Amino acid sequence: MPLPVPVLPEGVDPAWLPPAAFRAVGSRRTLIRGSGPLAETVHGEVAEACRRFGGRVERGAGSDGTYDLVLDLGDESLGDESLGDESLGDEGFACAREGGTTTVTASGGRGLLYGLFHVVRLGEAAFTGAWAPRTHRPALALRMLDHWDNVAVHPVMGQVERGYAGGSLFWEDGRARGDLERVRAYGRLLAACGINAVAVNNVNVHETEAHLLTDRIGEVAAIADVLRPYGVRTHLSVSFAAPVVLGGLPTADPLDEAVRGWWAAATRRVYEAIPDFGGYVVKADSEGQPGPFAYGRSHADGANLLAAAVGPYGGTVHWRAFVYDHRQDWRDRTTDRARAAYDHFVPLDGEFAPNAVLQVKHGPMDFQVREPVSPLIGAMPRTRLAVELQVTQEYTGQQRHVCWLGPMWSEVLRFRHGPESSVGERARGGLVAVSNAGDDPFWTGHPLAQANLYTFGRLAWRPDAEPREVLDEWIGLTFPEASERLSAGLHAVLDGSWRTYEKYTAPLGVGFMVQPGHHYGPSVDGYEYSPWGTYHFADRDGVGVDRSVATGTGYAGQYGKPWAEVYESADTCPDELLLFFHHVPYTHMLASGKTVIQHIYDTHFEGVEEVEAAREVWAGLGDLVDPARHRRVTELFEEQLRSAREWRDQINSYFFRKAGVPDAHVRRIY
């Protein structure tokens, strides 16, 4: 039986899958060949589209010539001869058009589902002309979202830590939601952009979340049941101390046989409840979370303990590399948080089990608006690495500001530590991101922040994709009747929004000039004298952190050639990262021909002006966008503009008073 399409609660936005996006498919004759759960999902999608738009769908053998669209689920050998290429696997598909019929061929259920959504993205173009078979396979096998959702509302972190789109999609009143239809709809949205895995709870595992592993695994299984029809596997964040907290053991030592036995038994019960369970996500020995250091063991010892438990079932352990000293003395300029991940993990290269994935933040600090690509990604060739991004905009406007992050992520994924391979190619363990979705009617709080979630999925599928083309896809799906004026207006608002945000916030890669705790809004010295290791070291003579080998922390030396040499000197370091790597005088001349202080003044004024211009563009699109969406974005633009002005005034005033250098354009800066 075809699986019915999820029904959204009244008032919930369909995001990039509005009914009209299926018009081209739903108005035609479709044949579906093959069987299995995901084939039933595909059948349900096409049947609903046909119900709306007058087409018809059939199952069985059929003759291709009598159908406009054939969705063919074959066998594992597909692709070997007919496509002259390797097997399509479970997720790949081939698409061709000949004799008036568009054919999608897949050897796995996920491939058939992804092939259908590919046709939906193409719209009428899928049924125009003729073209030879084109194969589509994901570059990365795992494309995953980590939800930092708390099962119970935490007194400090709330329900969703670093979440800016309301409450959890999965949890309510300390339990799994009773009605999971919206979670099923969420799985559908994720499948449509290529995401295939979700961790459903916070990496900072509290006592309530810890019980999900054992006596409450049935709640996780219920979530897995509604995500599975869209090819999304469920993962769980676990506490390294679970044998003590849940099992009553006196130790969580990863080399202790009783501990190993406890994890094996607990994991067996997990797979009994969720046969396709993806595996564990672990934050250990980081920011107060327990880990193997307490027992004199290494991170490899800890990860391999859990890898052994999930290995017999095909599971994976994602061990986060976000490990650093968060009790740092701000006066000690030799200790550098940026060095920490490399120093901890590079000596362990080759010691992690094959099904243990080291999950590395894309930058060495913490999802700042600008920081260099982590050197760890290029330094562990014998370890499976997953690269971690942050879709929720903790340091980029918290989904109250327009800040499309596609260009940033593309820069990261295309970066090459050396000539061998890009970051996207090195991420053999997958691409992972902290989710930005919640129970807000628009899913992401800011309606335009939906573009970030969609873009992450598409770049995880193909890291070398052009982000602007991905944005075109999102616009075409979300606004299927979009005119050229609407499309151009959305590009005008979104294309440069990341660099606009950078202009009116932290200059030249310096980072962390935010309010402590909630991280929203400016506070230049907010973390300057704290133990968190997030300093800019601004004084009367200059600003920035000396991370050179010659005179600083030595962080620049963690890179191989050519980047170690490029970053080592203030004369060759790229302007946008100058203050990340060097403490320089305010009068230091940038490659742009401006001094550092003048750059700070100018960019903060420019950033506000660009927000004002984007707000006016959005206002002019009111007749092309549904009223609720337009109203929400309009309200948020007012907050963004207020905040941008606050950033401009506080940053410029602070540095004028530090440097004593006036603005060359004689603007009011204090």
Side-chain angles (χ1 to χ4, degrees):
M1 290 291 292
L3 185 71
V5 173
V7 178
L8 286 172
E10 186 176 353
V12 174
D13 185 67
W16 51 86
L17 290 181
F22 290 79
R23 185 184 304 277
V25 170
S27 60
R28 286 178 163 85
R29 301 161 299 167
T30 298
L31 173 68
I32 300 175
R33 297 192 185 114
S35 60
L38 287 164
E40 301 309 322
T41 300
V42 170
H43 187 184
E45 290 286 340
V46 178
E48 174 61 19
C50 290
R51 185 190 68 79
R52 287 180 178 274
F53 299 108
R56 79 169 191 265
V57 58
E58 297 178 14
R59 300 288 292 272
S63 172
D64 291 8
T66 61
Y67 296 93
D68 303 298
L69 174 63
V70 175
L71 299 165
D72 191 351
L73 179 57
D75 58 49
E76 288 293 340
S77 67
L78 287 169
D80 290 346
E81 297 180 7
S82 61
L83 301 173
D85 210 341
E86 62 193 65
S87 171
L88 293 171
D90 181 59
E91 295 192 315
F93 62 92
C95 194
R97 181 165 175 80
E98 183 179 6
T101 300
T102 300
T103 303
V104 172
T105 305
S107 56
R110 284 186 177 89
L112 193 70
L113 182 65
Y114 297 144
L116 169 64
F117 285 128
H118 176 72
V119 173
V120 171
R121 279 193 296 273
L122 291 175
E124 286 297 328
F127 303 98
T128 304
W131 16 276
R134 303 169 187 170
T135 59
H136 301 264
R137 286 183 296 270
L140 304 176
L142 185 127
R143 306 169 303 279
M144 180 173 174
L145 291 173
D146 284 353
H147 277 257
W148 288 358
D149 294 15
N150 298 314
V151 175
V153 177
H154 190 272
V156 175
M157 299 175 181
Q159 183 165 30
V160 183
E161 183 183 355
R162 304 302 176 207
Y164 311 105
S168 173
L169 287 167
F170 309 116
W171 313 104
E172 185 177 40
D173 297 329
R175 310 293 301 186
R177 287 182 178 270
D179 181 1
L180 293 173
E181 185 72 354
R182 187 167 174 185
V183 175
R184 193 161 75 93
Y186 182 54
R188 179 176 183 246
L189 286 173
L190 300 186
C193 64
I195 293 168
N196 65 0
V198 169
V200 297
N201 65 311
N202 198 346
V203 293
N204 293 309
V205 181
H206 307 293
E207 185 173 354
T208 304
E209 284 78 34
H211 284 271
L212 296 176
L213 176 63
T214 53
D215 51 302
R216 298 182 63 178
I217 191 62
E219 296 177 57
V220 183
I223 294 169
D225 286 346
V226 298
L227 291 174
R228 187 177 296 111
Y230 284 95
V232 179
R233 294 179 75 181
T234 300
H235 295 239
L236 189 66
S237 295
V238 295
S239 170
F240 188 79
V244 176
V245 175
L246 302 175
L249 297 184
T251 180
D253 184 344
L255 301 190
D256 185 278
E257 285 303 317
V259 171
R260 299 175 74 84
W262 186 90
W263 275 109
T267 301
R268 183 183 67 251
R269 290 190 293 271
V270 169
Y271 278 93
E272 288 171 354
I274 312 170
D276 61 345
F277 180 70
Y280 298 136
V281 179
V282 187
K283 177 178 179 178
D285 286 314
S286 175
E287 299 182 329
Q289 290 291 308
F293 284 177
Y295 308 98
R297 311 303 187 191
S298 73
H299 284 284
D301 293 329
N304 292 345
L305 160 73
L306 300 177
V310 300
Y313 312 97
T316 302
V317 171
H318 283 250
W319 191 272
R320 296 181 80 238
F322 188 52
V323 178
Y324 67 96
D325 177 9
H326 70 291
R327 296 182 177 89
Q328 192 172 316
D329 184 344
W330 61 270
R331 294 162 295 191
D332 175 12
R333 297 204 180 191
T334 63
T335 302
D336 184 3
R337 173 170 164 176
R339 290 187 56 107
Y342 186 104
D343 289 341
H344 278 296
F345 288 98
V346 166
L348 302 176
D349 188 30
E351 296 184 16
F352 289 88
N355 65 322
V357 171
L358 190 61
Q359 189 163 305
V360 183
K361 290 191 177 186
H362 72 82
M365 295 295 280
D366 193 13
F367 302 128
Q368 298 299 289
V369 69
R370 176 80 70 171
E371 54 183 300
V373 174
S374 171
L376 186 60
I377 298 170
M380 298 189 71
R382 296 181 294 160
T383 302
R384 286 179 67 197
L385 299 182
V387 176
E388 183 178 276
L389 310 176
Q390 192 185 56
V391 184
T392 195
Q393 297 169 227
E394 179 179 358
Y395 295 100
T396 53
Q398 299 191 357
Q399 290 160 225
R400 286 178 266 187
H401 297 215
V402 178
C403 188
W404 176 52
L405 296 169
M408 174 207 275
W409 297 334
S410 181
E411 284 188 14
V412 169
L413 294 169
R414 293 171 186 236
F415 181 86
R416 294 179 181 272
H417 288 84
E420 298 84 12
S421 56
S422 67
V423 167
E425 292 164 336
R426 285 182 179 271
R428 293 181 291 119
L431 197 65
V432 181
V434 184
S435 171
N436 68 343
D439 66 3
D440 177 84
F442 286 100
W443 299 93
T444 57
H446 199 306
L448 300 186
Q450 293 175 5
N452 281 330
L453 183 52
Y454 182 87
T455 299
F456 166 75
R458 299 297 290 142
L459 289 178
W461 180 278
R462 212 188 102 200
D464 64 348
E466 288 294 335
R468 201 173 189 278
E469 293 177 4
V470 173
L471 187 58
D472 278 331
E473 288 182 6
W474 176 78
I475 292 171
L477 288 171
T478 308
F479 307 93
E481 313 297 340
S483 64
E484 289 187 13
R485 180 162 69 90
L486 176 57
S487 181
L490 288 166
H491 274 290
V493 168
L494 289 164
D495 283 356
S497 56
W498 164 49
R499 289 180 176 83
T500 294
Y501 186 87
E502 180 181 22
K503 284 182 178 182
Y504 64 76
T505 54
L508 302 171
V510 72
F512 280 108
M513 293 182 173
V514 292
Q515 292 283 346
H518 57 73
H519 299 167
Y520 185 76
S523 179
V524 184
D525 284 338
Y527 279 106
E528 193 61 16
Y529 309 103
S530 77
W532 292 95
T534 52
Y535 313 125
H536 56 69
F537 294 134
D539 54 29
R540 67 180 184 178
D541 299 316
V543 60
V545 184
D546 185 353
R547 292 189 163 104
S548 68
V549 174
T551 58
T553 70
Y555 168 79
Q558 291 184 339
Y559 292 86
K561 293 182 178 181
W563 296 107
E565 290 86 351
V566 170
Y567 293 146
E568 176 69 14
S569 170
D571 294 328
T572 56
C573 183
D575 281 356
E576 64 270 19
L577 292 172
L578 178 68
L579 302 186
F580 191 95
F581 283 98
H582 297 281
H583 187 87
V584 298
Y586 295 106
T587 53
H588 175 87
M589 191 66 68
L590 300 171
S592 65
K594 293 183 180 181
T595 62
V596 166
I597 190 65
Q598 193 60 48
H599 172 92
I600 291 172
Y601 295 154
D602 288 350
T603 53
H604 284 79
F605 279 105
E606 289 168 8
V608 172
E609 291 165 2
E610 289 172 11
V611 174
E612 291 172 337
R615 181 185 63 163
E616 292 307 308
V617 170
W618 180 258
L621 302 177
D623 60 323
L624 303 176
V625 180
D626 67 272
R629 187 191 304 267
H630 194 268
R631 183 167 54 252
R632 172 73 73 88
V633 175
T634 298
E635 292 168 354
L636 289 168
F637 256 127
E638 293 305 314
E639 166 56 19
Q640 182 174 359
L641 184 55
R642 182 209 63 78
S643 181
R645 288 168 174 163
E646 181 184 27
W647 274 98
R648 176 197 63 195
D649 295 344
Q650 287 206 26
I651 298 293
N652 283 348
S653 176
Y654 178 95
F655 283 103
F656 171 73
R657 292 171 182 175
K658 282 283 187 185
V661 178
D663 172 32
H665 302 293
V666 201
R667 294 165 291 201
R668 182 185 177 91
I669 57 174
Y670 56 91

